[in-house]
Amino acid sequence: MGRGLVKFDDERCKGCELCVSVCPVKIIRIDQTKINTKGYHAAGTQEIEKCIGCGNCATICPDGAISVYIK
Amino acid sequence: MGRGLVKFDDERCKGCELCVSVCPVKIIRIDQTKINTKGYHAAGTQEIEKCIGCGNCATICPDGAISVYIK
Amino acid sequence: MNEKVLMKGNEAFAEAAIRYDCKYYFGYPITPQNEIPEYMSRELSKADGVFVQAESELAAVNMAYGASAAGGRVMISSSSPGFALMQEGMSFLCSVEAPCVIINVSRGGPGIGTILPGQADYYQATRGGGNGDYHLIVLAPASIQESITLIGKAFELSDQYRNPVLILVDGMIGQMMEPVILPDYHSGKQIDKPWALTGTKGIRPPNTIKSVYLKAEELEAWNWHLLEKYRKIIDCEVSYETRNLEDAEIVFVAYGTTSRIIREAMEILEADHIRSGLIRPISLWPYPYQSFDEMSSSTKAVLVVELSQGQMIDDVKIGVNGRFPVSYVGRFGGTVISPEEVASEAKRILGVV
Amino acid sequence: MNEKVLMKGNEAFAEAAIRYDCKYYFGYPITPQNEIPEYMSRELSKADGVFVQAESELAAVNMAYGASAAGGRVMISSSSPGFALMQEGMSFLCSVEAPCVIINVSRGGPGIGTILPGQADYYQATRGGGNGDYHLIVLAPASIQESITLIGKAFELSDQYRNPVLILVDGMIGQMMEPVILPDYHSGKQIDKPWALTGTKGIRPPNTIKSVYLKAEELEAWNWHLLEKYRKIIDCEVSYETRNLEDAEIVFVAYGTTSRIIREAMEILEADHIRSGLIRPISLWPYPYQSFDEMSSSTKAVLVVELSQGQMIDDVKIGVNGRFPVSYVGRFGGTVISPEEVASEAKRILGVV
Amino acid sequence: MKTVFEFTKGMTREESIYCPGCTHGIAHRLIMEVLDEMDLLGETIGISPVGCSILAHRYMSVDMCEAAHGRAPAIATGIKRVHPDCTLFTYQGDGDLASIGTGEIIHAAHRGEKFTTFFVNNAIYGMTGGQMAPTTLVGQKTTTTQEGRSELLCGKPLRMAEMIATIEGAVFVERVSLDSPSSIFKAKKVFRKAIEIQQKKLGFGFIEILSTCPTNWGLSPIDSMEWLRTHMIPYFPLGNFRKPGDREMACGQEMGAK
Amino acid sequence: MKTVFEFTKGMTREESIYCPGCTHGIAHRLIMEVLDEMDLLGETIGISPVGCSILAHRYMSVDMCEAAHGRAPAIATGIKRVHPDCTLFTYQGDGDLASIGTGEIIHAAHRGEKFTTFFVNNAIYGMTGGQMAPTTLVGQKTTTTQEGRSELLCGKPLRMAEMIATIEGAVFVERVSLDSPSSIFKAKKVFRKAIEIQQKKLGFGFIEILSTCPTNWGLSPIDSMEWLRTHMIPYFPLGNFRKPGDREMACGQEMGAK
Amino acid sequence: MAMHKLIISGFGGQGVMMMGQMIAYAGMMEDKHVTWLPAYGPEMRGGTANCSVIVSDKPISSPIISKANAVVAMNYPSLLKFEPLVIPGGLLFANTSLFEETHFRKDLVIVSVKANDIAVEIKNDKVSNMVMLGAVLSGTSVVSRESLYKVMEKVFVGAKAKLIPLNKLALEAGFEIGRVACAENFNNSDF
Amino acid sequence: MAMHKLIISGFGGQGVMMMGQMIAYAGMMEDKHVTWLPAYGPEMRGGTANCSVIVSDKPISSPIISKANAVVAMNYPSLLKFEPLVIPGGLLFANTSLFEETHFRKDLVIVSVKANDIAVEIKNDKVSNMVMLGAVLSGTSVVSRESLYKVMEKVFVGAKAKLIPLNKLALEAGFEIGRVACAENFNNSDF
Ligand SMILES: Cc1ncc(C[n+]2csc(CCOP(=O)(O)OP(=O)(O)O)c2C)c(N)n1
Ligand SMILES: Cc1ncc(C[n+]2csc(CCOP(=O)(O)OP(=O)(O)O)c2C)c(N)n1
Ligand code: SF4
Ligand code: SF4
Ligand code: SF4
Ligand code: SF4
Ligand code: SF4
Ligand code: SF4
Ligand SMILES: [Mg+2]
Ligand SMILES: [Mg+2]
């Protein structure tokens, strides 16, 4: 398994948590401290080094807030 | 088989010949000499004594022009 | 008298209908009137009535026809484009003389438009888009309380004349809350409907409710019957309110929501020592043409105010019949005109700037 | 010029449309206009066009919208109740500015009514039953030949203003045969439609055709755009015919079929030394209000003649604006008024009996 | 003397305006015979459509109303709410039911409305002079398919009974024919069954009746019956498509399994 | 660095007004990804419905128009006549397609129209605030069935895919779901297949997409996905109901044999 | 007077629409104003057909005929329906091949034409309408025989051209009958 | 002046509609003219909610508020949307539990209420709306506290009656904050 890189577009995120629920390595969290201009707490990764670059998060994100790459 | 009796209501008849086509003993004819007030040649029986009273003619008559009895 | 309660317009319409003994409601969701079907779906069965969510507005109006033909007291409701889909039905209901109350909580148009308030369905209501000569009785309340009263009246007129009655309001009245006093339960006057479809029970010849007349003479005779009815309605059922016509320099003509705004505009003008009056048609059909005869010689102009590009102005011109200059001011597309805009247009017309 | 041919109204409409380069026709059967779809089903493909029998009038008007949005030249047709079903569509077409020609071969109403001729769809045509502020351009020919001309004009106006144009005729004109001269093939003027849906081909940003405006301000701005267009049409596209206005004691106002009958009535009156005139609106919207300014002081009365219970009379009253007494005579429900009836009503009004 | 056949008192004596040999007359009579035999004439309400049978109410001796084109099932829905115990039917042609009224019939079935629909499929628009219907056969000539219905341009005909049978609320769906006395007998039995099911309030009942239109088919009444047999029945198979007690969702589930 | 996922250029960068977690966003993206991958963006015309996705044209980077509620299939019919070679789709909700637009969708299938319909079944009227849809499950609470949908009063939900599959002209009918990344992958494949079939002009293509409406279901987006799996899929089975080459009339004939 | 108002009626299939159209067509070729209006309406059910034809020197207002100068009844139901519409002294062309010559109105000029019988004599039952048309032309002179021949040449083209002689024959036969029937009691020119 | 125009806004679920309705209800009990108008429109998508409340001594023409005397912003998107509608010198009630107290308009009286924090202190996050409502009452005196208590008794009936003490507590807490915040720079009586 390669090493994934995930980018979140905070402004597009609506904090729906769907990405959180599908990450096989459970590294996505909603950041309760950040708030975007639409008023949502945006999602982000912790321990990005665990990311396997599976793309699940981006696949289910309804708002096109996630891009995934493999290094 | 009983002996049938068939009554035609000439005024209701539209001369469609459907009764003619379903009589098993082929005794119904359109009477080309009679014409009703709607302008149709009405159906009638020849050799009524052959009628078996099956009711086919009345069953298929779309205009309720036929009654069938068994003597 | 019942207690004052704070109610949302749409819910008050529904509750009023129930208290006037409406037993059948058919509807298809459309904003800004969804609280009516929602309320009915919850409350009507408790009052021994039936709610059916129709698959479309076409179906709704035809379900209403069925229930009406069967002798039931029926209401339906929709909003502008949904009511547009009922136009064939309206002509049909009139042609078979089926009583029915319809509420159009109108919005800004044309097309899909916006769900915000609008009064651009005046033509739709009073001239209709159905075919042939027919008329809906059209009532236009200006508050939730008046809506309640007129819904009661609508059921009565509808039964009495065997004609659909349309209540024309807008999203603002439908969505807002105001304090209202509701009528008692069972406030609806009931009349016999010997023409209704009930099954003959073997004791009378079959009843037939029909719209088609193959022969021109028959159809013309039927049309004469309807025309006489319409004439009677014109004679008896006009309703309107006037204010300060005796000495008004300018007379506003407005109905529903807009008439409320006029009252504030009149205060603004009064503060500037300009005397203004108001004609507020309550029945939009039959139209209160006679109200214009009450205008006085002090009046210099008539100003029609509508949340449309000017539709009622046709009727105002017919009523005024050349006696005064008639002009129009309005906003549309979901925007609501302000009292200030009205007042300043009045001043412009009167030449006081 | 092409040879005179004897053609049935409906077929002439269809053939004319083809010659004006109509390429898409969508229709649902309804008498008395069935010859139009039948003709189109047979002939349109020969002219490289496409005929689709729609499952309903609702579908037909929306197919027309699709073809129009895609840049095609489209015609649809129906009769009264079928046109009633298109009212939501009419408002929609106007809101998105989709060009389209519609023919209503009207019949006697209301409801199902009769398939015999009638003019009771005047309100339906000129005031509509769709929601919001919108206008169809409405043209009312009085003969098959004029229908042909106006169909050509309709396609042009429709493209030019990006607005639906309605041809309002009745079953009589649709069903009869008269000698006519047809236009050449490819008589239709074509204009560019850069707004049409064609696929971007990767060379331009996507085109969007939209009716919904979520924000009131946006919708109001769009409505202003439409209003300005309508005002331009009112300025430029009024059309009507007058006869003998200079010295008429009585002026008839009638359109379409009825105007033909008036001509005979005028002869009857002339024989009795009564001078009568005629205003024949050709465009019903925009309405030729200015035609009434041409009336002379010799005129004592205006008589509106309609195959309805009196619908155009509203516009006549607005146009006359109190200057002359306006009255109405008509037959309805599929019956056609006779010249004699018209003449005797005119005499009654003038007090010559 | 025994009566084999007398015109039912469920029909008025009014003479119909149908063309000679048109099966509408047979269909009318069968319905009224069944209602008469079940002693339901006094409890029945019927709805005539827009189509040749627009005047059905003149011929049927029960309370009836007219419908706008295609809307009979919606009207019936309204009537049944007011009189839940009445016997209620719509009588509709293929233009009325399968074209403009598609939404109304599908949703009456969807809600499981407790009335019976008699669907007269004569593969054409009779009243308006012979245009293509959704049930017009491929190759069949009509005034709007003068070279015969083209599958490419117009698709293949809709099989309404099969389609309606996929809807849960349609508890009784059957196709019958009126082409011969024996077919007519069978049809009548099916009509009776449908009314019985209505009385039990089990759900929506739908009977498709293969019929003729000699006038617009351009055939004699007798040839029309033959054409019905040789052309329509092969495409529109007779038989029951759904009856109470059938496994839920006769059609879909099976296919869902694929 | 390899790209696993980037937002497709088939979508504009416009931020949607959909509620958090609403699957409309996923469905939009999948369609546009497929069109982009097939290099069809420049040839495509789409139709947005009346429903929450009324502004789909803001998000999808192709020529598009709006439809009056329910009428998209009729509009598509008109468009396809003018541009027979374009790639054309309608995108419709369950109120839009299965209720008010029943007639239009059935007859697009009937004629075998050569376009693709993406049918977003979220078992509710989203835009108008959560009223019952024809696909609302029995027992499901909505604003017009506040005690839960009653089978007795409202019937059982319509299974559109099964119904459409009985129509000859519908050559491709399949039901997919968006409840998980793997479902989404599968759905995308199906979308692609549908567009390929459209390109071959074989007939009408219909894809029912089981979707969520967290807002009107009153559930979190995650719980909504779970509800879709546990409640919707059992009643609306996933799978193909019709594909080119299937025996004619998958469903009816068999039953006609009874 | 220069305004002919005819109603032509019979069974569907008897060619009554065609008769009316040919008259109108001929009228057009004579540069007259003409209108032709089919009966359209639910009365089509039942197989009867009729049309109204007006040929006139001046523009025609309405093509609907409430009072006819002449009625052609190709069958009995048509007779019942349209005989009442003829003006007193007007013409009734009755196809007495199909019904008895009894009970006609006394105030009409009756032209009795056994159209089917004559057509059969000419060896083609199908041309009974042409026989009747001939009678109408001589009875009313609504259009000239010459114009009608020209119409035939326009109508029967291609494969149908070979039908012209037969149709002319039928027309002539009818014309003769009409001439004889009208000779004594009727003056064409003032009709 | 005797016309209060308030816009109350926040996330769906924060109870903003309820706040507005309670004010309107209380106004009605004080025999004032009142209107309440929810935001209805597609902006409902995305989960924000707001309503407009007018309480007045004379009949109210339009319930739509284009210029508000006061705005309640229970969350940040609402602040962005409605702050511009407050008249100069008007009141802004900001739920600073959910966003920073920065960038507010300078021409407004800002009432900063950490509604959620206070609610949590009172042991129930759900009553943050009541905390804010208390602040609004003291800040605007749109209706009296007594009327609002009466409303509570009407609204919280049956099983819900036990919620009254909690809600009163929340209201009192908010009232106090509002009083303090407005004391120096704002005179209630002329609002
Ligand atoms: C809204 C509307 N559209 C069209 C018509 C015209 N119309 C009358 S009957 C009919 C269809 C008749 O066909 P069908 O339903 O098959 O009945 P049939 O005459 O064959 O028994 C149509 C399209 C109408 N009356 N109303
Ligand atoms: C003629 C008409 N009727 C009703 C409406 C109101 N309306 C707007 S969207 C909608 C239904 C939305 O539900 P659905 O199609 O399931 O789409 P969703 O929002 O769930 O995606 C309705 C009924 C309308 N705009 N036009
Ligand atoms: S790409 Fe896979 S592993 Fe990485 S964050 Fe997304 S879901 Fe988790
Ligand atoms: S799925 Fe997308 S919108 Fe939802 S929380 Fe994750 S990044 Fe944000
Ligand atoms: S009853 Fe039977 S046998 Fe007798 S005439 Fe009729 S069909 Fe023939
Ligand atoms: S079936 Fe009836 S209508 Fe037809 S010919 Fe026989 S009796 Fe006459
Ligand atoms: S047209 Fe056809 S369906 Fe109608 S009455 Fe005649 S034969 Fe019957
Ligand atoms: S209401 Fe439902 S369908 Fe509409 S955007 Fe919100 S979650 Fe999606
Ligand atoms: Mg049919
Ligand atoms: Mg939905």
Side-chain angles (χ1 to χ4, degrees), chain A residues 4-6 8 19 22-28 45 48 50-58 66 68:
Chain A
L5 182 67
V6 182
F8 288 84
C19 52
V22 298
C23 176
V25 294
K26 309 252 170 268
I27 56 171
I28 313 182
T45 44
I48 181 66
K50 288 194 188 161
C51 174
I52 57 171
C54 67
N56 273 3
C57 52
I66 310 180
V68 182

Side-chain angles (χ1 to χ4, degrees), chain F residues 113-156:
Chain F
E113 291 295 336
K114 279 122 204 100
F115 63 84
T116 308
T117 289
F118 296 98
F119 167 45
V120 177
N121 177 1
N122 59 7
I124 208 148
Y125 284 55
M127 184 183 229
T128 43
Q131 295 81 9
M132 181 185 72
T135 51
T136 292
L137 295 181
V138 170
Q140 187 184 339
K141 284 184 184 158
T142 72
T143 54
T144 51
T145 58
Q146 295 180 28
E147 308 283 302
R149 177 178 178 148
S150 144
E151 184 186 341
L152 190 71
L153 299 177
C154 314
K156 286 194 191 170

Side-chain angles (χ1 to χ4, degrees), chain E residues 73-186:
Chain E
I75 297 164
T77 299
I79 293 175
K80 198 77 185 195
R81 291 302 176 286
V82 181
H83 303 303
D85 295 320
C86 77
T87 301
L88 178 63
F89 69 89
T90 73
Y91 181 102
Q92 304 182 252
D94 40 9
D96 195 68
L97 180 142
S99 195
I100 194 171
T102 308
E104 284 76 8
I105 196 68
I106 295 280
H107 285 278
H110 163 221
R111 288 186 301 269
E113 292 294 336
K114 280 121 202 105
F115 63 83
T116 309
T117 289
F118 296 98
F119 168 45
V120 177
N121 177 359
N122 59 8
I124 208 150
Y125 284 56
M127 184 183 228
T128 43
Q131 295 82 7
M132 181 186 72
T135 52
T136 292
L137 295 181
V138 170
Q140 185 183 339
K141 285 185 182 157
T142 72
T143 54
T144 50
T145 58
Q146 295 181 31
E147 307 284 302
R149 176 178 178 148
S150 143
E151 183 185 341
L152 192 70
L153 299 177
C154 315
K156 285 193 191 170
L158 270 185
R159 293 185 182 97
M160 289 305 292
E162 285 82 342
M163 190 163 88
I164 299 272
T166 65
I167 302 171
E168 297 286 335
V171 296
F172 185 74
V173 180
E174 187 149 345
R175 186 182 285 120
V176 301
S177 160
L178 300 180
D179 63 293
S180 68
S182 68
S183 302
I184 295 170
F185 280 127
K186 279 185 214 148

Side-chain angles (χ1 to χ4, degrees), chain C residues 61-62 64-72 74 89-102 136 157-159 161-165 193 195 209-210 222 226 229:
Chain C
V61 67
N62 281 289
Y65 162 45
S68 172
V74 194
M90 290 302 131
S91 170
F92 198 100
L93 285 173
C94 288
S95 82
V96 298
E97 300 197 280
C100 176
V101 171
I102 308 114
L136 307 180
L157 292 176
S158 177
D159 276 351
Y161 292 106
R162 288 190 63 181
N163 206 72
V165 180
K193 297 179 175 177
W195 48 264
I209 295 184
K210 53 181 281 191
W222 181 249
L226 295 177
K229 178 172 84 178

